[in-house]
Amino acid sequence: MKVVFIVIDTLRADHLGCYGYDLNTSPNIDKIAREGVLFERAYATDVPTQPSYTSMFTGQRGVKTGIVSHSPTEDLSPNVPYLSEILASHGYLTAAVSTLYVMRRWFARGFHYYMNPYAGKPRQLLQQVDADDINAMAIPWIRQNADKDFFIFIHYWDPHGIYMPPPKEYRYLFYRGKDPTDPNNHSLDRLKKSVLWPFYKRHLDRIREANNLAEEITDIEFVKAQYDGEIKYVDDKIGELVQSLEELGIIDETLLIVTADHGESLGEHEEYFDHATVYEPVIHVPLIIKYHELPKGKRVKDLVQLIDLPYTILKLAGIPIPKEFEGRDLVPIANGEASGYDEVYSNQGLWTAKRAVITKDGWKLIKTIDPGFWECPPLELYNLVKDPSETKNLVYEEEDIVNELELKMVRWLEKELGNRPDPLRLISAAGLPPKEWVKGATEEYIKGGGTYEEVRMKMGF
């Protein structure tokens, strides 16, 4: 068996055609979905990047491994079972094309070949690697090893900020406005009044410079169009990758997985161009699997999680599942022979410290441990069936459901932790990492403006 594990960083499910988007951002991914299985309700157990990828390779949630943030104090124990190590120990040739290793050493565990297109380049570029650079390493490696059983992890960063599709033709592909800098457009005014404005202004300035715009961007739809352009660009590159598998004649023996580590907020809940919460744009992820043992064109409505992926890969490979793995086999769920979860949990530990539980009948409870830079209540309850955009907090109208779900969350957490402390509370007590990032951006924004607190007072934060 060949395994091609594609993870597209920061990809919202609802910006793909196969998930109902009305723009043609993803024709190649949509084709894979028509030929395979699409899971409509897949969730990341941990966000953002580092905890999400760690969970996908360990088959365990962050509350188990301790990896819930991007903190230098976190470290993954070498005793934690790791997908690529397990596959390598059972005869699979393993490869990765990614820059994640620059972030954390454990992301290279178990790989015979770890290919980093930006090796030797400045660290700040690791999230700006382009899909062409990824394919330039991934496709030749697949061609050279097409006669072997292999596992290749292919990590595309393109939709991650800063949104700047490298081919210029993608930049205006989905923009329907006339002037991205129209002074009469006030769609970014709320962001400009936010404490985070100095931080995100740098993102917008980079987009402005890339597009040779003389004035500041005022139209949020232009920024969203850049994000969608990134999706279309990476979708085209995935098309090239799949075409290579077809030309080699190995597509039918390949387990092809397409997913994302998390999504992206594009202005929802006062969160702009990042992935700082546990609202649906961030934790609801695309998940598409194509394999000859799975049905074609099937859409699965059951709740599933990204920690199900390593479990499923090992199961299909006929390799014993480590007792530590917390996921389930997706194959019987896809075939209608088993059900998904009654509820799933998701944690955020970088920009905020939050935890969510989502039930199979559409209820969602969010518990905030640390709100970060946002104002929000300690508990939020949403009915995702009636209110998929999470606009009406029902916490005071549905007290019985709140109590039921909060109790479920407490019991689930106690079972996960045992006698260990909650890592989300530890990271909150230590101080969420972005607080220093925003502090630096603010002090830079007003040069010579004194201390951070003085700058905040001058800017009215």
Side-chain angles (χ1 to χ4, degrees), residues 277-294:
T277 64
V278 288
Y279 295 115
E280 292 296 286
V282 174
I283 64 172
H284 176 223
V285 294
L287 177 57
I288 300 163
I289 305 178
K290 178 183 176 183
Y291 190 54
H292 65 81
E293 291 188 16
L294 294 172

PDB file of all heavy atoms in Angstrom, residues 277-294:
ATOM      1  N   THR A 277      -9.348  30.682  17.929  1.00  0.00           N
ATOM      2  CA  THR A 277     -10.472  30.309  18.771  1.00  0.00           C
ATOM      3  C   THR A 277     -10.866  28.856  18.533  1.00  0.00           C
ATOM      4  O   THR A 277     -10.110  28.074  17.956  1.00  0.00           O
ATOM      5  CB  THR A 277     -11.680  31.220  18.458  1.00  0.00           C
ATOM      6  OG1 THR A 277     -12.086  30.989  17.099  1.00  0.00           O
ATOM      7  CG2 THR A 277     -11.326  32.688  18.638  1.00  0.00           C
ATOM      8  N   VAL A 278     -12.081  28.520  18.957  1.00  0.00           N
ATOM      9  CA  VAL A 278     -12.634  27.193  18.670  1.00  0.00           C
ATOM     10  C   VAL A 278     -13.994  27.333  17.988  1.00  0.00           C
ATOM     11  O   VAL A 278     -14.835  26.438  18.079  1.00  0.00           O
ATOM     12  CB  VAL A 278     -12.756  26.320  19.944  1.00  0.00           C
ATOM     13  CG1 VAL A 278     -11.393  25.878  20.430  1.00  0.00           C
ATOM     14  CG2 VAL A 278     -13.522  27.059  21.053  1.00  0.00           C
ATOM     15  N   TYR A 279     -14.214  28.444  17.306  1.00  0.00           N
ATOM     16  CA  TYR A 279     -15.422  28.576  16.494  1.00  0.00           C
ATOM     17  C   TYR A 279     -15.273  27.726  15.237  1.00  0.00           C
ATOM     18  O   TYR A 279     -14.164  27.302  14.858  1.00  0.00           O
ATOM     19  CB  TYR A 279     -15.682  30.043  16.154  1.00  0.00           C
ATOM     20  CG  TYR A 279     -15.981  30.899  17.362  1.00  0.00           C
ATOM     21  CD1 TYR A 279     -15.131  31.921  17.749  1.00  0.00           C
ATOM     22  CD2 TYR A 279     -17.135  30.673  18.123  1.00  0.00           C
ATOM     23  CE1 TYR A 279     -15.407  32.704  18.869  1.00  0.00           C
ATOM     24  CE2 TYR A 279     -17.417  31.449  19.240  1.00  0.00           C
ATOM     25  CZ  TYR A 279     -16.543  32.466  19.609  1.00  0.00           C
ATOM     26  OH  TYR A 279     -16.816  33.221  20.719  1.00  0.00           O
ATOM     27  N   GLU A 280     -16.387  27.483  14.564  1.00  0.00           N
ATOM     28  CA  GLU A 280     -16.418  26.546  13.448  1.00  0.00           C
ATOM     29  C   GLU A 280     -15.423  26.862  12.323  1.00  0.00           C
ATOM     30  O   GLU A 280     -14.809  25.927  11.785  1.00  0.00           O
ATOM     31  CB  GLU A 280     -17.842  26.461  12.867  1.00  0.00           C
ATOM     32  CG  GLU A 280     -18.849  25.801  13.798  1.00  0.00           C
ATOM     33  CD  GLU A 280     -18.522  24.336  14.068  1.00  0.00           C
ATOM     34  OE1 GLU A 280     -18.720  23.503  13.180  1.00  0.00           O
ATOM     35  OE2 GLU A 280     -18.061  24.052  15.195  1.00  0.00           O
ATOM     36  N   PRO A 281     -15.230  28.122  11.932  1.00  0.00           N
ATOM     37  CA  PRO A 281     -14.253  28.365  10.849  1.00  0.00           C
ATOM     38  C   PRO A 281     -12.852  27.845  11.159  1.00  0.00           C
ATOM     39  O   PRO A 281     -12.075  27.588  10.247  1.00  0.00           O
ATOM     40  CB  PRO A 281     -14.259  29.893  10.721  1.00  0.00           C
ATOM     41  CG  PRO A 281     -15.600  30.313  11.201  1.00  0.00           C
ATOM     42  CD  PRO A 281     -15.912  29.366  12.333  1.00  0.00           C
ATOM     43  N   VAL A 282     -12.548  27.653  12.449  1.00  0.00           N
ATOM     44  CA  VAL A 282     -11.206  27.214  12.847  1.00  0.00           C
ATOM     45  C   VAL A 282     -11.117  25.712  13.090  1.00  0.00           C
ATOM     46  O   VAL A 282     -10.188  25.053  12.624  1.00  0.00           O
ATOM     47  CB  VAL A 282     -10.741  27.983  14.104  1.00  0.00           C
ATOM     48  CG1 VAL A 282      -9.402  27.439  14.622  1.00  0.00           C
ATOM     49  CG2 VAL A 282     -10.613  29.470  13.802  1.00  0.00           C
ATOM     50  N   ILE A 283     -12.078  25.137  13.807  1.00  0.00           N
ATOM     51  CA  ILE A 283     -11.911  23.730  14.213  1.00  0.00           C
ATOM     52  C   ILE A 283     -12.598  22.728  13.286  1.00  0.00           C
ATOM     53  O   ILE A 283     -12.259  21.539  13.301  1.00  0.00           O
ATOM     54  CB  ILE A 283     -12.368  23.496  15.667  1.00  0.00           C
ATOM     55  CG1 ILE A 283     -13.868  23.746  15.827  1.00  0.00           C
ATOM     56  CG2 ILE A 283     -11.573  24.366  16.623  1.00  0.00           C
ATOM     57  CD1 ILE A 283     -14.408  23.336  17.196  1.00  0.00           C
ATOM     58  N   HIS A 284     -13.557  23.177  12.475  1.00  0.00           N
ATOM     59  CA  HIS A 284     -14.194  22.284  11.503  1.00  0.00           C
ATOM     60  C   HIS A 284     -13.290  22.207  10.271  1.00  0.00           C
ATOM     61  O   HIS A 284     -13.024  23.221   9.636  1.00  0.00           O
ATOM     62  CB  HIS A 284     -15.572  22.811  11.124  1.00  0.00           C
ATOM     63  CG  HIS A 284     -16.245  22.013  10.058  1.00  0.00           C
ATOM     64  ND1 HIS A 284     -16.933  22.582   9.010  1.00  0.00           N
ATOM     65  CD2 HIS A 284     -16.324  20.669   9.860  1.00  0.00           C
ATOM     66  CE1 HIS A 284     -17.418  21.644   8.234  1.00  0.00           C
ATOM     67  NE2 HIS A 284     -17.059  20.470   8.719  1.00  0.00           N
ATOM     68  N   VAL A 285     -12.807  21.021   9.958  1.00  0.00           N
ATOM     69  CA  VAL A 285     -11.812  20.880   8.893  1.00  0.00           C
ATOM     70  C   VAL A 285     -12.321  19.965   7.780  1.00  0.00           C
ATOM     71  O   VAL A 285     -13.173  19.105   8.010  1.00  0.00           O
ATOM     72  CB  VAL A 285     -10.482  20.313   9.448  1.00  0.00           C
ATOM     73  CG1 VAL A 285      -9.830  21.301  10.400  1.00  0.00           C
ATOM     74  CG2 VAL A 285     -10.699  18.961  10.128  1.00  0.00           C
ATOM     75  N   PRO A 286     -11.791  20.147   6.572  1.00  0.00           N
ATOM     76  CA  PRO A 286     -12.118  19.197   5.497  1.00  0.00           C
ATOM     77  C   PRO A 286     -11.423  17.861   5.741  1.00  0.00           C
ATOM     78  O   PRO A 286     -10.318  17.819   6.298  1.00  0.00           O
ATOM     79  CB  PRO A 286     -11.562  19.887   4.246  1.00  0.00           C
ATOM     80  CG  PRO A 286     -10.456  20.753   4.756  1.00  0.00           C
ATOM     81  CD  PRO A 286     -10.873  21.203   6.123  1.00  0.00           C
ATOM     82  N   LEU A 287     -12.070  16.796   5.353  1.00  0.00           N
ATOM     83  CA  LEU A 287     -11.449  15.474   5.409  1.00  0.00           C
ATOM     84  C   LEU A 287     -12.010  14.630   4.278  1.00  0.00           C
ATOM     85  O   LEU A 287     -13.209  14.335   4.241  1.00  0.00           O
ATOM     86  CB  LEU A 287     -11.704  14.791   6.754  1.00  0.00           C
ATOM     87  CG  LEU A 287     -11.152  13.364   6.886  1.00  0.00           C
ATOM     88  CD1 LEU A 287      -9.648  13.319   6.621  1.00  0.00           C
ATOM     89  CD2 LEU A 287     -11.473  12.783   8.261  1.00  0.00           C
ATOM     90  N   ILE A 288     -11.133  14.264   3.362  1.00  0.00           N
ATOM     91  CA  ILE A 288     -11.507  13.481   2.174  1.00  0.00           C
ATOM     92  C   ILE A 288     -10.523  12.328   2.048  1.00  0.00           C
ATOM     93  O   ILE A 288      -9.306  12.527   2.130  1.00  0.00           O
ATOM     94  CB  ILE A 288     -11.465  14.364   0.910  1.00  0.00           C
ATOM     95  CG1 ILE A 288     -12.447  15.535   1.052  1.00  0.00           C
ATOM     96  CG2 ILE A 288     -11.776  13.545  -0.332  1.00  0.00           C
ATOM     97  CD1 ILE A 288     -12.204  16.655   0.074  1.00  0.00           C
ATOM     98  N   ILE A 289     -11.044  11.132   1.857  1.00  0.00           N
ATOM     99  CA  ILE A 289     -10.198   9.942   1.733  1.00  0.00           C
ATOM    100  C   ILE A 289     -10.621   9.152   0.503  1.00  0.00           C
ATOM    101  O   ILE A 289     -11.807   8.857   0.306  1.00  0.00           O
ATOM    102  CB  ILE A 289     -10.284   9.047   2.990  1.00  0.00           C
ATOM    103  CG1 ILE A 289      -9.938   9.848   4.250  1.00  0.00           C
ATOM    104  CG2 ILE A 289      -9.357   7.841   2.847  1.00  0.00           C
ATOM    105  CD1 ILE A 289     -10.049   9.046   5.528  1.00  0.00           C
ATOM    106  N   LYS A 290      -9.635   8.778  -0.291  1.00  0.00           N
ATOM    107  CA  LYS A 290      -9.882   7.955  -1.468  1.00  0.00           C
ATOM    108  C   LYS A 290      -9.036   6.687  -1.377  1.00  0.00           C
ATOM    109  O   LYS A 290      -7.817   6.750  -1.187  1.00  0.00           O
ATOM    110  CB  LYS A 290      -9.526   8.725  -2.746  1.00  0.00           C
ATOM    111  CG  LYS A 290      -9.718   7.923  -4.024  1.00  0.00           C
ATOM    112  CD  LYS A 290      -9.282   8.708  -5.250  1.00  0.00           C
ATOM    113  CE  LYS A 290      -9.387   7.863  -6.510  1.00  0.00           C
ATOM    114  NZ  LYS A 290      -8.905   8.574  -7.712  1.00  0.00           N
ATOM    115  N   TYR A 291      -9.709   5.536  -1.499  1.00  0.00           N
ATOM    116  CA  TYR A 291      -9.001   4.246  -1.465  1.00  0.00           C
ATOM    117  C   TYR A 291      -9.943   3.197  -2.034  1.00  0.00           C
ATOM    118  O   TYR A 291     -11.178   3.320  -1.932  1.00  0.00           O
ATOM    119  CB  TYR A 291      -8.596   3.899  -0.034  1.00  0.00           C
ATOM    120  CG  TYR A 291      -7.654   2.719   0.078  1.00  0.00           C
ATOM    121  CD1 TYR A 291      -6.461   2.681  -0.646  1.00  0.00           C
ATOM    122  CD2 TYR A 291      -7.963   1.644   0.906  1.00  0.00           C
ATOM    123  CE1 TYR A 291      -5.605   1.600  -0.538  1.00  0.00           C
ATOM    124  CE2 TYR A 291      -7.110   0.564   1.028  1.00  0.00           C
ATOM    125  CZ  TYR A 291      -5.932   0.545   0.290  1.00  0.00           C
ATOM    126  OH  TYR A 291      -5.076  -0.530   0.386  1.00  0.00           O
ATOM    127  N   HIS A 292      -9.374   2.157  -2.605  1.00  0.00           N
ATOM    128  CA  HIS A 292     -10.214   1.174  -3.303  1.00  0.00           C
ATOM    129  C   HIS A 292     -11.128   0.400  -2.364  1.00  0.00           C
ATOM    130  O   HIS A 292     -12.122  -0.191  -2.802  1.00  0.00           O
ATOM    131  CB  HIS A 292      -9.347   0.214  -4.122  1.00  0.00           C
ATOM    132  CG  HIS A 292      -8.435  -0.652  -3.304  1.00  0.00           C
ATOM    133  ND1 HIS A 292      -8.861  -1.801  -2.689  1.00  0.00           N
ATOM    134  CD2 HIS A 292      -7.111  -0.528  -3.005  1.00  0.00           C
ATOM    135  CE1 HIS A 292      -7.842  -2.368  -2.054  1.00  0.00           C
ATOM    136  NE2 HIS A 292      -6.774  -1.610  -2.227  1.00  0.00           N
ATOM    137  N   GLU A 293     -10.832   0.397  -1.060  1.00  0.00           N
ATOM    138  CA  GLU A 293     -11.687  -0.304  -0.110  1.00  0.00           C
ATOM    139  C   GLU A 293     -12.816   0.583   0.409  1.00  0.00           C
ATOM    140  O   GLU A 293     -13.633   0.144   1.221  1.00  0.00           O
ATOM    141  CB  GLU A 293     -10.863  -0.831   1.066  1.00  0.00           C
ATOM    142  CG  GLU A 293      -9.910  -1.960   0.694  1.00  0.00           C
ATOM    143  CD  GLU A 293      -9.249  -2.574   1.910  1.00  0.00           C
ATOM    144  OE1 GLU A 293      -9.739  -2.342   3.040  1.00  0.00           O
ATOM    145  OE2 GLU A 293      -8.242  -3.283   1.737  1.00  0.00           O
ATOM    146  N   LEU A 294     -12.862   1.808  -0.061  1.00  0.00           N
ATOM    147  CA  LEU A 294     -13.879   2.751   0.398  1.00  0.00           C
ATOM    148  C   LEU A 294     -14.873   3.037  -0.719  1.00  0.00           C
ATOM    149  O   LEU A 294     -14.534   2.934  -1.900  1.00  0.00           O
ATOM    150  CB  LEU A 294     -13.218   4.054   0.855  1.00  0.00           C
ATOM    151  CG  LEU A 294     -12.334   3.959   2.103  1.00  0.00           C
ATOM    152  CD1 LEU A 294     -11.597   5.270   2.321  1.00  0.00           C
ATOM    153  CD2 LEU A 294     -13.165   3.608   3.329  1.00  0.00           C
TER     154      LEU A 294
END
